[in-house]
Amino acid sequence: MTEGTPTGSLRIAVIGTNYLGANTAAGMAEFGFDVIGVEIDEHRLKLLNDGKAPLYEPGLDPLLKKHVDSGRLRFTKDYREVADWADVYFICVGTPQQEGSDAADLGQVNSVVDMLAPLLTRPCLVVGRSTVPVGTSKLVEQRFHSESPAGIGVEIAWQPEFLREAHGVDDTLHPDRLVFGVQSAEAEATLRQVFAIPIAEGCPVVVCNLPTAELVKGGANAFLATKISFINALSEMADATGADVTQLADALGFDKRIGRGMLNAGPGYGGGCLPKDLRAFMARAGELGVEEVITLLREVDDINYRRRARVVDVTHELLGAEWVGRNVTVLGAAFKAGTDDVRDSPALDIAGRIQLHGATVTVYDPEAMDNARRVRPTLRYADSAVEACADAHLILHLTEWPEFRALDPVALKEIVATPVILDARLLLDAASWRAAGWKYRAPGKA
Ligand code: UDX
């Protein structure tokens, strides 16, 4: 089959079908391939075979449904169904932070090798997409070569993904770049065949060795985290001088070398990727003896967590230095808008800290309520933003959902105890809140 005509000839297995794997499996089916996803969690498996995503991700349900219905995509828990069926195996399992350490936990990657390696009897390509410490792919390769009946016929490649939650489908179908960490022209050709459609659309391809491919992902996330902490450091400067950090970001961002992306000051970055990937990157740098990297990135991490403390401090100040007997409304629980993911969410962390100080905290989020309740069961939850604001002494705007920007400050003033709002995301229209009689505060804004 030639480049640009992917349909049919390659069979693709996607191992691990949570966020990354579900997007990858649906995307590969959309590219025209027959795909089987391997998922060991029964609940997730059932959802996926019904064409439903295991998490809230705009556009993913329809894509899964389309290809489950077309018969091009199905999911199994049995590795034997994919072993020797697929030509390409994508490893898409999670690599969370290890308990008690900054390093990545490679348990899920290792168990994929445990399950798959003994079943591979014919040559194939195993492609890692999981975010791993540099050097992992070589360890994975050694294990496949020694534990698979196919031996060195199992070739390893690494192809990092850069999916952003809430944009996972688009980032899968229309990536801004493809990185192929490969060891042979055949592996490169296979990956070019898999990604023929985005390549034909003009997506640039970087072909490199395995460690480069592994480092790209950690490097990209470390850089993005650094950008966010940089603007948040400038936000502290702005507070100390009366400058406006949003205007600073706009002015910096017009410089093409800098760019405006990831320069929104706020409560800092969270989620299931940037924080843990940054730490895993530092941990690996430490293992490799490159201490300078740790110094820089440790500061990035520290600035980030200082943001949360800063929001709590300003909250205390706005509550008149009292905690007990104060009602605080937290608008947002997800780590960012467009997702129900609350992993390392600044909003929930701040809500928890304020509650620990003794205030009564009521949270509302349009999508993340179930996850928030599970993680922080002792917080109060409301069914709507307006309900959450009733009798509040202070409202905190912590996740940038559009519905919070649409709140009517005039109507809301009637139901709160005191009209005070802390816009930690710096996205509300300060003038209209002030005009409606609110005390409006946004760290980093004059
Ligand atoms: C990130 C990377 O962007 C993606 O390439 C990688 O594959 C996974 O990690 P994601 O975790 O979905 O994606 O979130 P992202 O949109 O990057 O935001 C991360 C965090 O930074 C969020 O908490 C967000 O609110 C915060 N953020 C983002 C800012 O505080 N300011 C910004 O300007 C941008």
Side-chain angles (χ1 to χ4, degrees):
M1 194 173 74
T2 56
E3 190 175 298
T5 55
T7 307
S9 74
L10 285 178
R11 289 166 162 182
I12 294 178
V14 175
I15 315 219
T17 58
N18 204 10
Y19 180 72
L20 169 60
N23 275 294
T24 301
M28 298 297 159
E30 179 72 4
F31 288 157
F33 300 104
D34 284 332
V35 181
I36 300 181
V38 181
E39 176 53 61
I40 52 172
D41 180 287
E42 292 279 0
H43 173 65
R44 218 178 277 161
L45 187 62
K46 163 125 191 34
L47 283 174
L48 288 161
N49 273 323
D50 288 340
K52 294 195 187 102
L55 70 179
Y56 174 74
E57 177 67 26
L60 185 53
D61 276 356
L63 199 64
L64 284 165
K65 181 96 178 76
K66 174 178 169 188
H67 293 296
V68 167
D69 287 351
S70 74
R72 206 184 280 164
L73 173 63
R74 68 187 176 84
F75 296 88
T76 179
K77 65 175 182 185
D78 188 354
Y79 276 81
R80 280 168 304 193
E81 279 187 45
V82 292
D84 290 342
W85 171 85
D87 304 296
V88 185
Y89 297 83
F90 280 101
I91 300 178
C92 293
V93 291
T95 51
Q97 188 174 336
Q98 266 178 38
E99 273 192 38
S101 154
D102 280 351
D105 177 351
L106 294 177
Q108 293 180 46
V109 173
N110 286 326
S111 66
V112 170
V113 184
D114 291 341
M115 302 294 286
L116 187 61
L119 301 173
L120 295 179
T121 62
R122 65 177 177 87
C124 60
L125 184 65
V126 174
V127 186
R129 293 201 102 194
S130 303
T131 301
V132 292
V134 57
T136 303
S137 57
K138 274 287 163 195
L139 299 174
V140 166
E141 178 178 77
Q142 279 161 19
R143 288 201 53 203
F144 273 106
H145 286 180
S146 64
E147 295 169 35
S148 292
I152 58 167
V154 180
E155 180 161 1
I156 304 298
W158 221 263
Q159 192 263 318
E161 50 73 32
F162 306 96
L163 309 192
R164 297 159 301 161
E165 290 188 31
H167 303 274
V169 171
D170 204 43
D171 287 350
T172 303
L173 299 179
H174 310 287
D176 54 9
R177 81 284 213 191
L178 288 160
V179 177
F180 296 162
V182 290
Q183 306 182 89
S184 73
E186 291 74 26
E188 180 188 337
T190 302
L191 286 173
R192 284 186 180 277
Q193 190 175 336
V194 170
F195 292 99
I197 290 176
I199 292 171
E201 286 173 358
C203 178
V205 181
V206 178
V207 180
C208 56
N209 63 15
L210 293 177
T212 307
E214 291 168 316
L215 268 179
V216 169
K217 179 63 188 285
N221 278 354
F223 187 77
L224 297 176
T226 304
K227 250 188 127 176
I228 296 170
S229 280
F230 185 82
I231 199 66
N232 280 330
L234 283 191
S235 177
E236 292 182 30
M237 293 282 284
D239 269 343
T241 56
D244 183 309
V245 73
T246 306
Q247 290 174 326
L248 265 174
D250 290 343
L252 291 174
F254 282 121
D255 184 330
K256 289 191 178 61
R257 295 166 303 173
I258 298 175
R260 182 62 176 81
M262 307 306 267
L263 281 186
N264 291 327
Y269 56 80
C273 291
L274 289 195
K276 65 104 179 156
D277 287 352
L278 186 81
R279 297 208 188 102
F281 200 71
M282 288 191 268
R284 188 69 182 128
E287 284 167 14
L288 294 166
V290 198
E291 308 301 332
E292 300 77 8
V293 177
I294 294 184
T295 315
L296 166 68
L297 296 180
R298 182 70 64 201
E299 192 56 36
V300 168
D301 204 32
D302 286 351
I303 291 170
N304 192 52
Y305 287 94
R306 222 162 49 220
R307 295 306 289 173
R308 301 180 185 187
R310 171 99 182 111
V311 173
V312 176
D313 287 348
V314 178
T315 298
H316 196 213
E317 187 194 318
L318 291 173
L319 289 174
E322 292 286 345
W323 290 114
V324 178
R326 302 295 187 202
N327 301 327
V328 177
T329 299
V330 168
L331 296 179
F335 81 96
K336 66 174 188 178
T339 176
D340 64 357
D341 193 344
V342 299
R343 286 176 295 170
D344 208 344
S345 164
L348 267 194
D349 185 14
I350 290 166
R353 292 182 197 208
I354 292 172
Q355 187 195 35
L356 274 182
H357 281 299
T360 302
V361 181
T362 306
V363 179
Y364 169 73
D365 188 286
E367 293 294 338
M369 297 294 270
D370 290 346
N371 286 338
R373 275 199 187 92
R374 204 170 25 77
V375 174
R376 298 257 179 197
T378 60
L379 292 169
R380 289 175 52 168
Y381 293 93
D383 290 333
S384 71
V386 171
E387 187 188 315
C389 292
D391 300 324
H393 295 99
L394 172 65
I395 298 173
L396 295 186
H397 176 223
L398 293 184
T399 308
E400 72 281 31
W401 289 101
E403 79 166 71
F404 300 149
R405 295 200 281 285
L407 285 169
D408 175 4
V410 176
L412 218 53
K413 186 163 176 266
E414 301 305 316
I415 62 160
V416 295
T418 48
V420 187
I421 185 150
L422 173 49
D423 178 15
R425 287 279 178 177
L426 287 68
L427 286 172
L428 302 177
D429 179 14
S432 60
W433 285 80
R434 284 186 176 130
W438 287 73
K439 180 171 184 176
Y440 170 92
R441 183 81 177 268
K445 261 178 121 57

